[in-house]
Amino acid sequence: MYLPFFKKKTHHSLYTLLISKNVVGACSFHVENGTILVDSTSALVAWDEENESSLFDACDTAIGSLSTDANQVLLSLPDDWVQGQGIHPKRKPLLKALTEKLEISSVGFVVTMEALIAFLKEESNQPLNVVCASIEPDAFIMGIVKQDTASPILRIGRSGKTPDDFLEGCSRLKVNSVPPQIVLVSLSESSDALGTAKQELEGYQWDPAIFVQPPSVIVQSSDFLLVAVASSGGKEVAKAMPELSENAAIPVENTNAQAPDFAPVTMAAASAPIQTVPTESEPDMEPELELHEGRQGSGMNGSRKKMFMILAIVLVALGLAATIAYAVVLPKIGKVDVVLIPQKNPIETSLTITVDSAATASGSGAVVKGEVITIGVSGSKDAPTTGKKQTGDKANGTVTIFNKTTQEKKFPSGTQLKSGKLVFVTTQDVTVASASSSISQTTNGKATAKATADFVGEEGNIDKNKELTVGIYDSSAYVALSESSFTGGTSRSVQAVAAKDQDLAVSTLLPELKEKATTELQSRIGGNQDGILLGDLSIGTKKFDKAIGDEAQSVSVTMNASSSALLYKRDDVLTVITEELKKTLPSGATLDTDHLTLSASESKKLSNTKAEVHFTISGKTNPMIDSNQYVSILAGKNLEEARTFLDSQKSIQSYTMKLSPTFIAAFLRQFPSDPSKITVSVQE
């Protein structure tokens, strides 16, 4: 007979201390009827691997946040802290110092990834097929389980691309046809980083030889990992220490609430062996598994024992009287209110829907009505110039033009004078007299004129008496000689606008204009509306501030552009795609319509008034819970039986029990047998 004034012996709790590269976490647990029950978990605490004392402080902070005075710890360690069946030699001194500093004793250790795999197997009711992966700042850790057989745990240096790290792991493990279920965890990385890794893995174009079907990635929280390690490692401790499960207390709350059920995916893993941490006195031997009274143990002297015996006799007498009241009166006046918090599971589906401005109705089939609008944007963009051109001064001088014909010849300013590829021009009009003849000789007519090079550069600085052809005439009719050396010709290379520089300015501006168009579209969307741009932008005007060949360091373009857009009502899309989502619900489950998330991932323009849009909707399912059936089952059960039953229900995440009137809560250890005195409600 249980005496209500006598409390059961408080259960013996242990810590799980999970150590990662730069963070630690802790949870406390106890054993009850062979089951590991987690009492509380800590927040993650950062530590610096270069500073050993920071590990001591972090572990003390994590343990100190738990509501228990246990002094025995099960260590969960990274795979690279373990060598063979023991602690890596370079880590032994650190762990010894840790247990001494915190005044705790170790009951052994597990490898974190192996413990996670063992937990998943225990939670699955089918042979386990899964990939377990953990992300650290500088490492990607993975293990593959196929039909309950686990591969070695592999540590890979991170490349920055999660799919590449995954493929390297598959190659090194020499496996193919990997299970399409990935459980992703991390103590070091943020939830955003894990979300990015999930998107990378699910969005990668995998070789069918690796994944027969696209993989599904489940991101689990740090609390899940702490509970998983405590559950799988704790079972091994319980086997070695059966006294842990004696006289366990009966907590009222569901202590498994922090360990949501892992959805079975036809897989389980080999359990992780528990291993012992060497003691200081015998570094190569396993420590004894023994209970301690806490960080500061104490004894009881003889006088205190006598006092306790007297008090016990008094309490027994009172207990007998209370038992009568407990057995006869309390069950008749007591009431129990049970509030169930359902285990809501995520669900997601995708559907391509046509948005058509010509549709006559919305939400009909996979077509919703749209409205066409025009979006106009403008902007400017600079681009550096890459062209080169020569600039400088032209050479100048004086030439003498000779006329060998019998007719006077006039040459206007600008007449070309050539020497090979070099071209000069006269800068003044000149008239050259005809040639004159006598019996003994012929004298050519001549005249001088100023001339300049038709180009810049030193090549125009020709020497005196350089022969030049005149215009299009043959040298037998007209010829010119430089009267003196030409001078003043200089040149230098400068940066100028090239055609590709203008193109670069345009191609850089276009994405910005498209982003502006998207922003402008969002500003024109109402509360229940959404919209998409129809195709690329149409460029209206395009103007450059400098022409090709202009000397400049940069060139700027100003453009106006426009695009058509389709507006649609989100409610119309939700109506269509929600019906599609309901088709994928598990048997008996309902859809939680208050927490749906709708997103558009890509679109395809079909015409100027119609487009296909790919939508994804995600939400959660409500499990089927029959409150009346729960009342019938709980009626007459003692609290321990009731709790065991509720803990076994995978449709329940957690629950609370409230006994009333309040004063009988300390005495009532059994549910009323009258169902009318039991209320079971489901919290939405």
Side-chain angles (χ1 to χ4, degrees):
M1 177 182 297
Y2 174 71
L3 300 181
F5 282 112
F6 277 3
K7 291 185 179 180
K8 285 189 176 182
K9 180 182 177 182
T10 303
H11 56 248
H12 183 83
S13 293
L14 290 87
Y15 295 122
T16 296
L17 190 57
L18 199 158
I19 301 176
S20 185
K21 182 175 178 61
N22 53 14
V23 294
V24 298
C27 69
S28 61
F29 67 92
H30 69 277
V31 185
E32 186 171 314
N33 295 328
T35 301
I36 303 299
L37 300 178
V38 174
D39 300 314
S40 59
T41 61
S42 76
L44 299 181
V45 184
W47 70 286
D48 182 2
E49 196 168 16
E50 301 298 324
N51 181 5
E52 291 186 356
S53 64
S54 69
L55 175 62
F56 306 152
D57 294 339
C59 292
D60 194 39
T61 299
I63 292 175
S65 68
L66 304 177
S67 55
T68 180
D69 60 353
N71 77 329
Q72 291 182 297
V73 62
L74 169 66
L75 297 174
S76 182
L77 304 176
D79 59 290
D80 59 347
W81 283 42
V82 177
Q83 186 179 74
Q85 296 300 311
I87 305 295
H88 196 287
K90 73 176 184 179
R91 299 294 185 182
K92 284 182 181 180
L94 177 62
L95 294 178
K96 289 178 184 177
L98 174 66
T99 56
E100 291 172 357
K101 290 277 186 183
L102 302 187
E103 298 180 0
I104 55 178
S105 62
S106 167
V107 297
F109 73 90
V110 293
V111 176
T112 301
M113 182 60 75
E114 292 177 350
L116 172 61
I117 291 173
F119 178 75
L120 295 181
K121 178 184 176 182
E122 293 162 4
E123 292 297 301
S124 177
N125 56 11
Q126 301 181 44
L128 189 64
N129 291 279
V130 71
V131 180
C132 289
S134 176
I135 296 180
E136 291 186 356
D138 58 356
F140 182 83
I141 305 163
M142 64 182 291
I144 300 175
V145 184
K146 298 176 72 173
Q147 292 296 310
D148 278 355
T149 301
S151 72
I153 303 303
L154 187 64
R155 174 176 289 263
I156 305 160
R158 289 181 68 181
S159 65
K161 295 182 179 180
T162 306
D164 291 348
D165 299 338
F166 190 93
L167 287 172
E168 181 182 348
C170 292
S171 175
R172 288 166 59 179
L173 290 172
K174 298 180 180 179
V175 297
N176 51 27
S177 187
V178 178
Q181 186 84 44
I182 302 173
V183 174
L184 191 61
V185 297
S186 178
L187 291 181
S188 306
E189 296 297 311
S190 66
S191 58
D192 289 342
L194 285 175
T196 298
K198 169 183 168 74
Q199 292 176 356
E200 289 178 349
L201 291 169
E202 291 184 336
Y204 189 77
Q205 297 298 316
W206 296 99
D207 186 333
I210 299 295
F211 286 112
V212 177
Q213 63 188 69
S216 172
V217 181
I218 298 175
V219 176
Q220 294 290 8
S221 66
S222 57
D223 272 0
F224 178 89
L225 190 55
L226 286 168
V227 171
V229 170
S231 298
S232 57
K235 286 189 176 182
E236 297 298 324
V237 174
K239 292 176 183 177
M241 304 172 67
E243 65 272 21
L244 292 180
S245 60
E246 295 177 1
N247 297 324
I250 307 174
V252 174
E253 295 185 356
N254 180 4
T255 55
N256 275 331
Q258 299 183 55
D261 290 335
F262 176 74
V265 289
T266 67
M267 31 197 205
S271 71
I274 183 166
Q275 302 165 342
T276 56
V277 179
T279 62
E280 181 178 11
S281 59
E282 295 179 285
D284 294 323
M285 297 180 65
E286 297 183 352
E288 296 180 2
L289 298 176
E290 58 181 358
L291 300 180
H292 299 275
E293 295 297 326
R295 295 195 184 188
Q296 296 180 350
S298 61
M300 180 181 293
N301 58 33
S303 61
R304 289 179 62 191
K305 289 182 179 178
K306 292 178 181 179
M307 292 175 61
F308 177 79
M309 292 300 295
I310 295 172
L311 178 61
I313 293 171
V314 174
L315 292 178
V316 167
L318 293 174
L320 290 173
T323 299
I324 297 173
Y326 165 76
V328 178
V329 180
L330 296 184
K332 296 184 180 295
I333 66 173
K335 295 182 63 177
V336 180
D337 294 322
V338 180
V339 178
L340 306 178
I341 301 174
Q343 176 63 56
K344 297 187 177 185
N345 294 314
I347 189 171
E348 182 178 282
T349 193
S350 298
L351 183 66
T352 298
I353 296 177
T354 300
V355 181
D356 188 356
S357 64
T360 57
S362 292
S364 175
V367 179
V368 297
K369 185 173 178 58
E371 176 190 353
V372 179
I373 63 172
T374 300
I375 303 293
V377 291
S378 62
S380 299
K381 192 69 177 179
D382 292 339
T385 56
T386 59
K388 300 291 182 183
K389 80 170 189 175
Q390 294 296 116
T391 187
D393 299 318
K394 299 178 180 180
N396 298 286
T398 303
V399 296
T400 300
I401 301 176
F402 295 93
N403 183 358
K404 298 180 181 181
T405 70
T406 58
Q407 300 292 325
E408 180 182 89
K409 181 66 175 176
K410 292 182 178 181
F411 293 100
S413 176
T415 299
Q416 284 191 348
L417 307 172
K418 295 182 179 180
S419 174
K421 294 182 179 180
L422 303 179
V423 178
F424 301 84
V425 293
T426 59
T427 58
Q428 63 183 109
D429 297 337
V430 62
T431 300
V432 185
S434 62
S436 59
S437 300
S438 64
I439 297 175
S440 59
Q441 64 179 8
T442 298
T443 302
N444 297 328
K446 65 179 182 177
T448 60
K450 291 183 177 180
T452 185
D454 197 31
F455 56 92
V456 299
E458 294 81 356
E459 289 183 336
N461 298 328
I462 60 176
D463 295 333
K464 179 181 179 180
N465 294 327
K466 185 73 171 180
E467 184 175 318
L468 307 166
T469 60
V470 181
I472 61 173
Y473 303 105
D474 190 87
S475 58
S476 62
Y478 308 100
V479 71
L481 291 176
S482 53
E483 184 74 15
S484 60
S485 297
F486 277 48
T487 60
T490 62
S491 67
R492 69 182 188 280
S493 178
V494 296
Q495 200 163 326
V497 179
K500 66 178 181 179
D501 303 332
Q502 292 183 338
D503 294 340
L504 176 62
V506 171
S507 63
T508 306
L509 178 58
L510 279 174
E512 293 185 4
L513 292 182
K514 190 164 186 179
E515 185 175 346
K516 278 188 176 182
T518 302
T519 302
E520 175 66 19
L521 173 61
Q522 294 302 316
S523 69
R524 296 174 62 175
I525 290 174
N528 185 34
Q529 284 185 318
D530 213 333
I532 56 169
L533 294 175
L534 288 175
D536 295 329
L537 295 176
S538 175
I539 299 175
T541 61
K542 180 171 59 178
K543 184 178 180 180
F544 297 98
D545 67 337
K546 296 179 181 67
I548 295 174
D550 287 353
E551 180 181 352
Q553 297 295 313
S554 64
V555 60
S556 177
V557 63
T558 301
M559 292 195 303
N560 295 315
S562 63
S563 176
S564 295
L566 266 176
L567 301 182
Y568 57 88
K569 294 182 179 179
R570 291 176 62 86
D571 284 350
D572 294 341
V573 175
L574 276 171
T575 298
V576 175
I577 198 169
T578 299
E579 291 304 313
E580 190 69 21
L581 184 61
K582 288 179 179 178
K583 297 176 183 178
T584 64
L585 291 175
S587 177
T590 59
L591 183 64
D592 182 359
T593 57
D594 294 331
H595 300 89
L596 296 176
T597 301
L598 179 68
S599 62
S601 57
E602 58 185 44
S603 60
K604 177 183 178 182
K605 179 180 177 181
L606 300 179
S607 70
N608 291 332
T609 61
K610 184 166 58 174
E612 285 183 344
V613 186
H614 189 73
F615 291 98
T616 298
I617 187 171
S618 57
K620 292 188 176 181
T621 62
N622 294 316
M624 182 176 65
I625 298 178
D626 186 341
S627 299
N628 293 329
Q629 183 180 22
Y630 275 74
V631 170
S632 299
I633 294 174
L634 293 174
K637 281 187 166 50
N638 63 47
L639 292 185
E640 183 175 354
E641 292 172 336
R643 187 176 177 282
T644 300
F645 166 72
L646 292 175
D647 286 345
S648 69
Q649 302 304 296
K650 294 188 180 297
S651 60
I652 300 175
Q653 178 183 346
S654 60
Y655 58 88
T656 60
M657 298 180 189
K658 181 180 179 182
L659 287 76
S660 59
T662 305
F663 76 88
I664 72 168
F667 309 108
L668 188 62
R669 308 302 296 174
Q670 181 174 325
F671 272 68
S673 56
D674 183 356
S676 67
K677 295 185 178 297
I678 303 172
T679 302
V680 175
S681 59
V682 180
Q683 178 178 306
E684 296 298 332

